[in-house]
Amino acid sequence: MAECGNGTAAKKLKTDTDNECKDTGEFLSESPVSGFEITRILRDSAREKNIFIHGKVKDQDAVVILEKTPIRQDTLTELLKSSELKLEMRNDVYSTYQLHAPAHLNQIKTTVVCPATEKHVKKYLRQEIFLVEESGEDYRSITLPYISKQSFSVQWVYNILEKKAEADRIICEDPDPDTGFVLLPDFKWDQKQNEDLYLIAIVHRRDIKSLRDLTSEHLPLLTNIRNKGEDTIQKRYSVPSSKLRVYLHYQPSYYHLHIHFTSLDYEAPGCGVERAHLLSDVIQNLQADSSYYHNRIMTFPLRTDDGLLLEFKDAGKL
């Protein structure tokens, strides 16, 4: 069994089947967004400094996400000394400026989803949201058939587990087929500062879709992820377990069991009470009742045109 606490992971040599993966950190000779044709703005936030754009790249639907990277403490001195300031307003002791930073300190994180499916586009589109209450029977008669019918692809997850993609991003792995997992940074985190630390643990088992599938049988898996995940983060990033938020989503964004590790200082998307379930609570609930998540009423948010919301409406549940 590989150790997860030492911050290392086995790496696989690239092959021709690695989906044309590029080495991270290198500049691309051809930009994947240079030919992007904008169709519409799906969502934007002045507060969060991001924008979600729907369009086409070489006649394929695509979603491009632009997000200003956080200001880093270790570059503050250089930022203040080497930037140009343009005065906007001065009044008594107050003044405001436009700060023009050097290019290497003024980066925009860019995420490209291509080809993007209708589900991808809907995921990023600003929509009205409703809370749904789902009983265990509702899950079996409404949600599970819907999930099975949609056949949401998790091939990208299998690519990670099989080291066909993102192998160099895995910071620890336990290869045990029953209790093992891989731990890697989420793409929301640029790994430049710990205040917005965000990692994902993805289990090797492929028979657990979500929280609803968990029973006391899975307690060794969950405790293994919690213990080794927290130990790895402590050793690699010097962030103790008391500064971590460790949780599962329900409904999850993809149906292969995974667990989120985020800094308490970071208000990560989906960390609110309507969707996030603390791993420590999940473990305690399963210790008390093996069928806890099979039977309890689960509340979660769904967007207006989410197909699952329509299923609940048709069943008279909303």
Side-chain angles (χ1 to χ4, degrees), residues 29-201:
S29 58
E30 181 180 356
S31 168
V33 297
S34 61
F36 182 67
E37 299 177 2
I38 299 174
T39 301
R40 57 174 169 161
I41 304 300
L42 299 173
R43 186 169 87 239
D44 68 279
S45 171
R47 181 177 180 272
E48 297 179 1
K49 306 297 187 298
N50 57 27
I51 188 168
F52 300 77
I53 314 163
H54 178 213
K56 289 186 177 294
V57 174
K58 296 180 179 179
D59 295 326
Q60 289 186 314
D61 269 313
V63 172
V64 171
I65 305 168
L66 303 178
E67 179 182 2
K68 289 290 292 182
T69 54
I71 297 172
R72 293 164 46 193
Q73 293 184 16
D74 61 341
T75 62
L76 280 177
T77 300
E78 181 184 3
L79 178 67
L80 296 175
K81 285 186 176 181
S82 58
S83 300
E84 295 182 352
L85 289 181
K86 180 180 179 181
L87 179 67
E88 288 189 329
M89 180 278 295
R90 181 179 290 123
N91 184 355
D92 192 27
V93 299
Y94 303 100
S95 54
T96 61
Y97 305 86
Q98 286 186 10
L99 185 148
H100 297 269
H104 69 284
L105 297 179
N106 194 28
Q107 299 170 334
I108 297 178
K109 179 183 175 183
T110 304
T111 302
V112 179
V113 182
C114 183
T117 65
E118 183 180 357
K119 178 176 171 61
H120 290 122
V121 174
K122 287 181 178 180
K123 175 181 178 181
Y124 299 116
L125 181 66
R126 188 189 303 277
Q127 299 177 42
E128 190 176 3
I129 299 175
F130 298 86
L131 278 181
V132 173
E133 289 188 349
E134 174 198 80
S135 66
E137 181 55 36
D138 290 337
Y139 172 74
R140 290 181 284 275
S141 64
I142 301 174
T143 304
L144 185 56
Y146 175 78
I147 294 171
S148 303
K149 182 173 62 178
Q150 295 299 309
S151 299
F152 297 121
S153 174
V154 290
Q155 183 57 50
W156 66 274
V157 174
Y158 299 157
N159 288 343
I160 293 173
L161 295 175
E162 296 168 5
K163 313 299 190 310
K164 292 180 179 178
E166 304 184 48
D168 57 342
R169 301 183 68 249
I170 296 173
I171 65 168
C172 87
E173 178 178 16
D174 181 337
D176 188 279
D178 293 320
T179 63
F181 65 98
V182 297
L183 182 69
L184 70 165
D186 188 276
F187 279 114
K188 297 181 187 68
W189 184 37
D190 62 8
Q191 302 181 65
K192 299 293 176 60
Q193 59 285 311
N194 288 342
E195 287 75 17
D196 56 344
L197 177 143
Y198 197 150
L199 297 104
I200 298 288

Side-chain angles (χ1 to χ4, degrees), residues 198-310:
Y198 197 150
L199 297 104
I200 298 288
I202 303 175
V203 305
H204 279 297
R205 290 184 62 157
R206 302 189 182 189
D207 60 339
I208 314 173
K209 291 183 288 296
S210 73
L211 200 56
R212 281 289 191 192
D213 292 331
L214 293 174
T215 68
S216 58
E217 171 204 342
H218 304 110
L219 285 171
L221 168 65
L222 299 177
T223 55
N224 187 48
I225 291 174
R226 181 181 62 182
N227 295 340
K228 289 185 177 176
E230 290 177 350
D231 184 58
T232 298
I233 292 171
Q234 166 75 66
K235 292 180 178 178
R236 188 179 182 98
Y237 304 109
S238 300
V239 177
S241 59
S242 59
K243 294 287 291 180
L244 290 176
R245 182 188 295 112
V246 187
Y247 57 96
L248 296 82
H249 280 151
Y250 192 81
Q251 290 277 329
S253 55
Y254 53 95
Y255 295 95
H256 179 105
L257 191 72
H258 56 284
I259 294 173
H260 305 254
F261 290 76
T262 67
S263 168
L264 275 179
D265 295 326
Y266 178 46
E267 294 184 10
C271 71
V273 295
E274 70 277 12
R275 192 176 176 202
H277 299 255
L278 290 175
L279 178 58
S280 57
D281 289 343
V282 171
I283 290 173
Q284 291 184 59
N285 290 335
L286 292 176
Q287 288 172 335
D289 179 1
S290 178
S291 300
Y292 185 86
Y293 292 102
H294 283 195
N295 300 320
R296 69 157 291 182
I297 292 177
M298 305 278 279
T299 303
F300 52 86
L302 289 176
R303 298 181 181 185
T304 303
D305 63 353
D306 191 302
L308 184 55
L309 182 69
L310 300 178

